[in-house]
Amino acid sequence: MENLSPRRVIIYEDNNHLRDSLYFLINSSTDFICTAGFPNTKQLIANITEQQPELIVMDIEMPGGMNGIEATRLAKKTFPAINIMLLTVFEDSDKIFQALCAGGSGYLLKNSSPEQILQAMSDCMIGGTPLSAQVAKIMVKFFHNNYTRKTTEEYLLTKKEKELLQHLVDGKSYKMIAEGMAISLETVKSHIKNVYRKLHVNCSHEAVVKAIRQQLL
């Protein structure tokens, strides 16, 4: 039976006003409950151990000895099952790439609407890799200018697998992919496993980064 309990969330954000706003936004949703918000990363592991969140909303520029990217890397190493969504003002390609490689499940800009933030959180929880539209464009432009193009044919991806990979790059959740491709959720998961195997990656954000980095689409 599906667990309908709200997903537990904690926030790392040093701006008090924004942290409070996110807290109330998240708790206005029936899908999530925010149990705590922290202004720094000083007690990261202790905070996660105590609060047992399923999702962390993380700013990048954080005081306390670790920035959000470093905190993401440590949290994922210690608690691999946790989803971490970066919510930040930074639009430069280096930070975006570093955040995804550190284990971030998504990367949103702080000018995202409340609806976009909540949708991105939901996407993270079902395997999506949500990116703000501006972020996706920045990454495509960066890798277009810095890496040699390879083709999906080199990885022997089928037409359906290429279509699915494009949906992942667009930040679609598994459910949205299933609806867009008119296939079942289980078929989506099967295609995704094949894409991971052919691209030699282990998760959706690695597949997205590789697809953009090597301009596979």
Side-chain angles (χ1 to χ4, degrees), residues 11 38 71 109 128 143 202:
I11 302 166
F38 303 98
L109 299 180
F143 290 119
N202 298 308

Side-chain angles (χ1 to χ4, degrees), residues 38-57:
F38 303 98
N40 59 62
T41 58
K42 289 180 180 178
Q43 301 295 324
L44 177 76
I45 299 303
N47 297 154
I48 297 173
T49 300
E50 178 182 0
Q51 299 296 327
Q52 295 292 302
E54 297 173 79
L55 174 68
I56 298 174
V57 177

Side-chain angles (χ1 to χ4, degrees), residues 7 17 20 31 52 64 74-75 94 192 205 207:
R7 303 300 188 97
H17 175 72
D20 289 344
D31 296 327
Q52 295 292 302
L74 177 60
D94 283 346
I192 284 177
H205 74 265

